[in-house]
Amino acid sequence: MTATPVPQILLLHPDDNVLVVVAAVEAGDLLPVGGGTVPAREGITVGHKVARVALRPGDKVIKYGAPIGSMTAAAAPAEWIHMHNMKSDYIAAHDRTAAGGPA
């Protein structure tokens, strides 16, 4: 009997152009994106995003079926999406203090 593989990425909404990492990704892991599989270029930790499709600077990042930010650099399918290549359209930085919350 073989074990069922644990998915590493999850599509939260059919309109999303990013997928959420639910099990750690190592460089070279094959990720199912764009109708095929693409090797991850780097390790990506749980909770982070990967591109579902190629994204260009200025493209809206869609998660939960809603825009959460904009790309500041291009990203290929399966590439890590985070604050190094996207920005929030709502707060200046990705922490609670930028939104007026406690440190």
Side-chain angles (χ1 to χ4, degrees):
M1 179 183 267
T2 59
T4 303
V6 175
Q8 290 176 283
I9 55 176
L10 178 67
L11 177 63
L12 297 176
H13 188 279
D15 293 339
D16 291 355
N17 58 12
V18 294
L19 302 140
V20 177
V21 175
V22 294
V25 171
E26 300 294 329
D29 285 354
L30 294 178
L31 301 178
V33 296
T37 56
V38 177
R41 293 181 5 182
E42 59 194 317
I44 308 165
T45 58
V46 171
H48 285 243
K49 300 168 292 300
V50 297
R52 184 177 177 197
V53 296
L55 298 169
R56 300 171 307 199
D59 284 351
K60 293 296 181 189
V61 177
I62 309 297
K63 183 178 175 187
Y64 311 111
I68 63 163
S70 298
M71 294 299 296
T72 59
E79 191 168 335
W80 178 37
I81 305 297
H82 197 54
M83 302 315 288
H84 66 285
N85 58 6
M86 71 162 285
K87 67 177 183 74
S88 171
D89 291 339
Y90 308 103
I91 57 176
H94 189 67
D95 65 21
R96 295 186 302 174
T97 57

